């Protein structure tokens, strides 16, 4: 059975199901603070921004369309033959066709009519499941992965379809009141807890975290990812799985062809009369390269770096949602509304494509490093070329010594040149060096110099009196006089010499100020 032909034929039931099943989406415009449902307001079958209801169901629905989406990315899905300049238009039409064919999954999940959506979604999912199972059972083998190629590739697709079957059965049971429904308010209650946690320290703070949470991933129990992130991650994981299988299979096929070429060259070399010809000297080196390259490529292919990168993407999304914009250029900090909405619609597709291209690029770079390591370290040791390995070892040892010196320097600074923590909750010790800014130091010197010039002889007289060997009482009186002269407002705050004195404090302050000014004039003269 041609699955592509069935995809074309499924457009009729897909459009019929999407038209019969009313959606529960949010319209694109608002009128008078209420959501309008007039005919002029276009609506979508899925809130793809921040919806939390049915988020795992939507995620597995995206997983169900993953094989067709990956086929679109591979540019192998073509409706008809056109000139090369029109290929982009054909791919766009194919993407629209795939989207319409799988539209009933999302329409049946978003409809408020549980019974209608559950029945139509169950029938449509069952139709796709039967066709795919029949195609896999009737023709399971392939030229690359052997007799069970389709099952190995499509088992995530079948898992998603079975999940959707259970989800639509659950919708029917909810309508028949055989099962309770999740409350929408309870789904959004986590946002209140999350904001409350961010704004105040919860009981028992700081929290004792395990090694996994401190070094690998620190989850937030009060944060939930919306459906678009879950769908993006599921398609990315399925795409990486498919790409890994294709990578392994194609590389194995390529290295088999390389071995066949080497065998052909060996036959040509053996048929020559001359024993020392070019082919005879190259055959051992080519065999060695084929062996090393095959093992190195296999080792780098099974390195699941980008599977962990998918989860790292979720961590970054959680940080960016809290307002972190430092990773963006400044001109993108406040985009226009049109640019923001367009970026939302493009994000998932770009994230999936960049993840797959990143896998291929990093895989190739790791393969080159693996070849350098084998030829620079492993093979010299195996062939007992200790002198060549010694030279490489000296270079590596020098690099390691430099790195170790830098690390030891940081440790010594951490132990001896930093003061103790100001608070037990601080992550690092504060800087204990008196290093202020040269501009600030120069400004302070100029400020002090100008102050000394303005004060003139009074300051020098003050310094002289301070240094004289006079009684403490005289020194205190002079300091008091000088302080009151410079700060007359303090006169009102002094204690009265006689508590029964009914003299006006304001008049007293004026009198003392006058006396202080006269004393200052005498000192200056």
């Amino acid at each position: 059975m041609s699955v592509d032909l069935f995809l074309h034929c499924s457009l009729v039931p897909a459009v019929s199901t999407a038209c019969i099943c009313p959606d529960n989406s949010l319209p694109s415009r608002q009128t008078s603070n209420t959501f309008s449902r007039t005919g002029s307001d276009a609506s979508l079958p899925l809130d793809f921004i921040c919806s939390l209801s049915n988020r795992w169901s939507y995620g597995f629905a995206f997983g169900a369309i993953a094989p067709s989406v990956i086929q679109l990315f591979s540019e192998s899905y073509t409706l008809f033959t056109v000139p090369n300049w029109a290929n982009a238009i054909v791919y766009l039409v194919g993407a629209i066709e795939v989207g319409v064919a799988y539209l009933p999954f999302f329409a049946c999940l978003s409809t408020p009519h549980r019974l209608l959506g559950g029945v139509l979604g169950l029938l449509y999912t069952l139709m796709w499941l039967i066709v795919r199972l029949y195609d896999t059972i009737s023709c399971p083998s392939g030229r690359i992965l052997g007799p069970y190629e389709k099952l190995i590739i499509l088992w995530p697709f079948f898992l998603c379809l079975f999940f959707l079957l259970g989800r639509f059965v659950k919708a029917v049971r909810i309508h028949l009141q055989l099962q309770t429904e999740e409350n929408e308010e309870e789904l959004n209650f986590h946002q209140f807890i999350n904001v409350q946690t961010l704004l105040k320290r919860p009981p028992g703070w700081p929290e004792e975290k395990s090694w996994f949470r401190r070094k690998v991933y620190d989850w937030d129990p009060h944060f939930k990812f919306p459906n678009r992130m879950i769908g993006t991650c599921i398609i990315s994981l399925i795409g990486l799985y498919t790409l890994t299988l294709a990578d392994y299979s194609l590389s194995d096929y390529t290295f088999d062809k390389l071995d066949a070429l080497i065998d052909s060259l060996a036959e040509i070399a053996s048929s020559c009369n001359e024993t020392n010809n070019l082919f005879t000297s190259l055959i051992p080196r080519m065999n060695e390269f084929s062996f090393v390259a095959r093992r190195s490529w296999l080792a780098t292919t099974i390195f699941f770096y980008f599977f962990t990168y998918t989860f790292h993407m979720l961590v970054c999304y959680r940080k960016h949602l809290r307002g972190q914009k430092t990773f963006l250029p400044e001109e993108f900090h406040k985009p226009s509304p049109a640019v923001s909405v367009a970026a939302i619609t493009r994000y998932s597709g770009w994230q999936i494509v960049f993840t797959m291209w990143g896998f291929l690029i990093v895989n190739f770079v790791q393969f080159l490093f693996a070849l350098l390591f084998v030829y620079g370290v492993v093979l010299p040791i195996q062939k007992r070329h200790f002198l060549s390995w010694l030279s490489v070892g000296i270079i590596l040892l020098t690099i390691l010594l430099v790195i170790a010196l830098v690390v030891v320097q940081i440790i010594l600074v951490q132990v001896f040149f930093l003061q103790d923590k100001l608070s037990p909750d601080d992550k690092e010790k504060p800087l204990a060096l008196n290093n202020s800014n040269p501009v600030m130091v120069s400004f302070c010197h100029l400020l002090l110099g100008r102050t000394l010039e303005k004060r003139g002889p009074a300051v020098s007289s003050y310094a002289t009196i301070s240094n004289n060997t006079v009684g403490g009482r005289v020194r205190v009186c002079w300091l008091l006089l000088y302080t009151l002269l410079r700060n007359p407002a303090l006169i009102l705050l002094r204690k009265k010499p006689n508590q029964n004195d009914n003299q006006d404090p304001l008049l007293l302050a004026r009198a003392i100020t006058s006396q202080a000014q006269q004393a200052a004039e005498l000192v200056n003269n």
Side-chain angles (χ1 to χ4, degrees):
M1 177 180 295
S2 175
V3 179
D4 292 340
L5 178 61
F6 177 76
L7 180 65
H8 302 327
C9 298
S10 66
L11 294 178
V12 176
V15 174
S16 303
T17 303
C19 293
I20 294 173
C21 200
D23 60 83
N24 190 28
S25 62
L26 296 179
S28 58
R29 290 189 290 175
Q30 301 181 22
T31 304
S32 301
N33 295 328
T34 59
F35 291 111
S36 172
R37 289 193 174 270
T38 59
S40 62
D41 287 329
S43 60
L44 303 174
L46 171 62
D47 180 8
F48 203 55
I49 300 178
C50 59
S51 177
L52 296 173
S53 60
N54 294 329
R55 57 197 186 113
W56 285 107
S57 300
Y58 286 130
F60 280 99
F62 280 111
I65 71 175
S68 299
V69 173
I70 295 172
Q71 190 178 5
L72 288 173
F73 286 147
S74 65
E75 300 183 355
S76 61
Y77 181 76
T78 54
L79 299 176
F80 39 84
T81 304
V82 294
N84 292 332
W85 60 268
N87 283 335
I89 300 176
V90 176
Y91 297 145
L92 179 60
V93 174
I96 295 175
E97 183 185 26
V98 170
V100 173
Y102 290 100
L103 181 62
F105 290 147
F106 304 99
C108 294
L109 287 172
S110 62
T111 180
H113 301 277
R114 297 289 185 181
L115 182 61
L116 181 62
V119 172
L120 292 179
L122 184 64
L123 293 176
Y124 196 77
T125 305
L126 194 61
M127 179 183 69
W128 269 101
L129 183 61
I130 292 174
V131 171
R132 282 288 193 175
L133 282 176
Y134 179 77
D135 178 67
T136 303
I137 295 173
S138 61
C139 186
S141 61
R143 293 181 298 176
I144 300 178
L145 296 180
Y148 301 104
E149 177 177 306
K150 287 187 177 180
L151 182 61
I152 295 174
I153 295 176
L154 295 178
W155 72 264
F157 168 77
F158 292 125
L159 176 63
C160 295
L161 286 182
F162 279 115
F163 182 91
L164 289 178
L165 283 178
R167 176 61 183 81
F168 290 126
V169 171
K170 178 183 177 181
V172 176
R173 289 174 56 85
I174 291 175
H175 178 78
L176 298 177
Q177 297 182 355
L178 299 177
Q179 189 173 347
T180 58
E181 182 181 4
E182 287 183 309
N183 190 358
E184 188 71 21
E185 295 182 358
E186 294 180 357
L187 289 176
N188 295 324
F189 184 73
H190 78 283
Q191 295 181 352
F192 168 75
I193 302 297
N194 186 28
V195 174
Q196 189 181 40
T197 305
L198 293 176
L199 295 180
K200 72 175 185 179
R201 297 177 178 179
W205 192 90
E207 181 184 2
E208 290 293 334
K209 298 180 181 180
S210 61
W211 178 88
F212 184 86
R213 292 186 62 182
R214 285 186 284 105
K215 301 296 183 181
V216 181
Y217 176 62
D218 186 12
W219 62 82
D220 188 350
H222 306 300
F223 183 85
K224 292 184 179 180
F225 294 97
N227 48 34
R228 67 165 176 157
M229 294 304 301
I230 294 178
T232 301
C233 290
I234 289 179
I235 295 182
S236 298
L237 291 174
I238 295 177
L240 287 174
Y241 171 75
T242 306
L243 196 61
T244 303
L245 292 178
D247 189 315
Y248 172 76
S249 304
L250 291 177
S251 63
D252 193 57
Y253 174 80
T254 303
F255 287 122
D256 288 341
K257 290 296 184 181
L258 179 61
D259 291 339
L261 177 62
I262 295 174
D263 294 338
S264 300
L265 293 177
E267 292 180 1
I268 296 175
S270 62
S271 63
C272 296
N273 295 327
E274 299 180 2
T275 57
N276 295 326
N277 54 62
L278 179 62
F279 290 125
T280 303
S281 60
L282 286 180
I283 294 302
R285 296 182 180 273
M286 295 181 67
N287 284 323
E288 181 183 78
F289 174 78
S290 177
F291 177 82
V292 171
R294 184 188 292 267
R295 268 56 179 183
S296 299
W297 188 269
L298 178 62
T300 54
T301 302
I302 63 176
F303 186 65
F304 296 100
Y305 166 75
F306 267 85
F307 288 94
T308 59
Y309 167 77
T310 304
F311 297 101
H312 176 69
M313 174 186 66
L314 294 176
V315 177
C316 293
Y317 172 82
R318 189 182 69 187
K319 294 179 180 178
H320 301 164
L321 196 64
R322 294 175 177 175
Q324 187 185 65
K325 298 181 180 180
T326 55
F327 66 98
L328 287 175
E330 188 174 355
E331 58 269 18
F332 294 112
H333 283 193
K334 294 181 179 181
S336 63
V339 173
S340 298
V341 175
I344 290 173
T345 59
R346 292 194 303 260
Y347 167 73
S348 294
W350 286 16
Q351 181 66 63
I352 296 168
V353 174
F354 290 160
T355 301
M356 294 183 179
W357 271 111
F359 171 80
L360 294 177
I361 295 173
V362 172
N363 191 16
F364 182 75
V365 174
Q366 290 176 344
F367 170 69
L368 295 180
F369 277 105
L371 287 180
L372 291 176
F373 178 76
V374 171
Y375 276 100
V377 178
V378 178
L379 291 181
I381 294 178
Q382 288 182 348
K383 296 179 180 180
R384 301 182 183 277
H385 295 167
F386 291 105
L387 294 179
S388 60
W389 163 241
L390 184 61
S391 60
V392 176
I394 292 175
I395 297 175
L396 294 178
L397 181 61
T398 305
I399 297 174
L400 292 177
L401 286 177
V402 173
I403 297 175
L405 180 61
V406 173
V407 174
V408 171
Q409 187 179 26
I410 295 175
I411 295 175
L412 291 177
V413 169
Q414 180 75 18
V415 175
F416 297 105
F417 291 94
L418 294 182
Q419 64 186 23
D420 295 334
K421 293 182 179 180
L422 301 178
S423 173
D425 300 333
D426 294 342
K427 294 182 179 180
E428 297 181 354
K429 294 181 178 180
L431 185 64
L433 298 178
N434 186 13
N435 188 18
S436 314
N437 190 309
V439 176
M440 186 181 68
V441 173
S442 301
F443 172 76
C444 293
H445 280 292
L446 291 175
L447 195 63
L448 291 175
R450 295 289 296 174
T451 304
L452 293 175
E453 290 179 1
K454 290 181 178 179
R455 294 180 179 179
V459 176
S460 60
S461 300
Y462 164 71
T464 304
I465 293 176
S466 299
N467 295 327
N468 287 338
T469 57
V470 296
R473 183 175 179 82
V474 176
R475 183 173 180 272
V476 171
C477 291
W478 174 257
L479 291 176
L480 176 61
L481 175 63
Y482 189 78
T483 302
L484 294 178
L485 178 64
R486 293 296 181 180
N487 303 277
L490 298 177
I491 298 175
L492 299 177
L493 302 178
R494 296 193 63 212
K495 183 179 179 181
K496 297 180 180 179
N498 186 4
Q499 297 295 335
N500 297 324
D501 192 1
N502 295 324
Q503 187 177 0
D504 188 2
L506 183 58
L507 295 177
L508 179 63
R510 290 178 178 176
I512 297 177
T513 304
S514 177
Q515 295 175 3
Q517 291 177 352
Q518 293 176 2
E521 291 177 358
L522 291 175
V523 172
N524 293 333
N525 294 329

